[in-house]
Amino acid sequence: DHAAASVLYRRAAARYWKEGGGVPWAVCLTCLGGLCHEMGDLATAESLFADAAGVYVGELADHPSVATLLNNRSSLLLRQRKPREALPLIEKALAMELKRRGEDSPDVIVKRHNLATILRELGETEKAEAQMELAQAARRRSGATAHPNYANGVVVLGSLAADRGHLARALALFEQASALFRSVGGGK
């Protein structure tokens, strides 16, 4: 329940603010901003992300929560139809996660998927396809091919192939995705 989660995040943020703010407060703001984003309250999400970003300066610039904040802000900007502004944020988030976690980390895979989405929105379909192929390869290496996110990645690759006019490849990918969704969903 989004409303209940919002109350809990707000209480936690207020408590951390009373205790001096810092990273715990910024993490709460990032989570609350993500929740507001999901609920469609984009102005509040943007304000919360900006407040959280203000904490991560100087020595905290490499804090693990920064990559999450950058990813969330890029998603918000994309939803606001600002992909050019979103691009440097997701690129930095991806670089941070790669450095900290390595190529096959689920966090890296998510950031690559999001980067591909932004690149596609910018019309850079070849670059988008390359990022999605890297994400899918990491999913295969980690054995996550029976997960809905893998099937979603195949759909994105099919869409990118269609965007580039490679219709036979797009059709094959869409058929593969359909089979994956049926197997993941129990044949439904």
Side-chain angles (χ1 to χ4, degrees), residues 96-116:
M96 291 176 76
E97 293 289 15
L98 277 167
K99 181 179 175 184
R100 191 171 59 253
R101 300 181 191 274
E103 190 68 43
D104 293 344
S105 163
D107 293 322
V108 169
I109 294 169
V110 166
K111 303 300 182 287
R112 282 202 188 283
H113 190 119
N114 293 347
L115 175 57

Side-chain angles (χ1 to χ4, degrees), residues 71 90 93-94 97-98 101-117 131-145 147 149-150 153:
N71 180 69
I90 194 62
L94 175 59
E97 293 289 15
L98 277 167
R101 300 181 191 274
E103 190 68 43
D104 293 344
S105 163
D107 293 322
V108 169
I109 294 169
V110 166
K111 303 300 182 287
R112 282 202 188 283
H113 190 119
N114 293 347
L115 175 57
T117 302
Q131 289 299 320
M132 186 54 64
E133 288 286 2
L134 288 170
Q136 291 297 89
R139 286 180 174 126
R140 283 190 296 276
R141 284 191 301 273
S142 67
T145 57
H147 192 280
N149 287 344
Y150 184 79

Side-chain angles (χ1 to χ4, degrees):
D1 178 9
H2 287 88
S6 177
V7 168
L8 294 174
Y9 281 133
R10 289 177 193 279
R11 282 184 193 157
R15 188 183 105 222
Y16 287 126
W17 179 253
K18 286 180 185 176
E19 294 174 3
V23 172
W25 178 68
V27 169
C28 284
L29 295 183
T30 300
C31 292
L32 184 57
L35 187 63
C36 290
H37 179 200
E38 282 184 30
M39 294 170 54
D41 187 354
L42 305 185
T44 301
E46 190 168 7
S47 174
L48 290 164
F49 290 152
D51 287 346
V55 173
Y56 299 111
V57 293
E59 65 194 57
L60 294 177
D62 287 329
H63 189 277
S65 295
V66 174
T68 299
L69 174 64
L70 292 170
N71 180 69
N72 291 352
R73 288 185 82 186
S74 72
S75 294
L76 177 66
L77 289 167
L78 183 62
R79 191 166 175 191
Q80 294 173 326
R81 302 276 184 225
K82 299 176 184 177
R84 287 255 172 254
E85 292 175 43
L87 183 60
L89 298 178
I90 194 62
E91 289 175 330
K92 184 172 182 181
L94 175 59
M96 291 176 76
E97 293 289 15
L98 277 167
K99 181 179 175 184
R100 191 171 59 253
R101 300 181 191 274
E103 190 68 43
D104 293 344
S105 163
D107 293 322
V108 169
I109 294 169
V110 166
K111 303 300 182 287
R112 282 202 188 283
H113 190 119
N114 293 347
L115 175 57
T117 302
I118 291 169
L119 289 168
R120 182 179 184 211
E121 188 71 23
L122 291 169
E124 298 183 34
T125 54
E126 285 183 43
K127 290 179 182 179
E129 188 172 27
Q131 289 299 320
M132 186 54 64
E133 288 286 2
L134 288 170
Q136 291 297 89
R139 286 180 174 126
R140 283 190 296 276
R141 284 191 301 273
S142 67
T145 57
H147 192 280
N149 287 344
Y150 184 79
N152 284 333
V154 174
V155 170
V156 172
L157 285 170
S159 298
L160 289 164
D163 290 349
R164 295 180 61 211
H166 302 150
L167 301 183
R169 175 169 160 69
L171 179 60
L173 287 164
F174 291 141
E175 288 172 348
Q176 178 187 359
S178 179
L180 285 166
F181 280 122
R182 279 194 305 276
S183 70
V184 170
K188 295 179 182 177

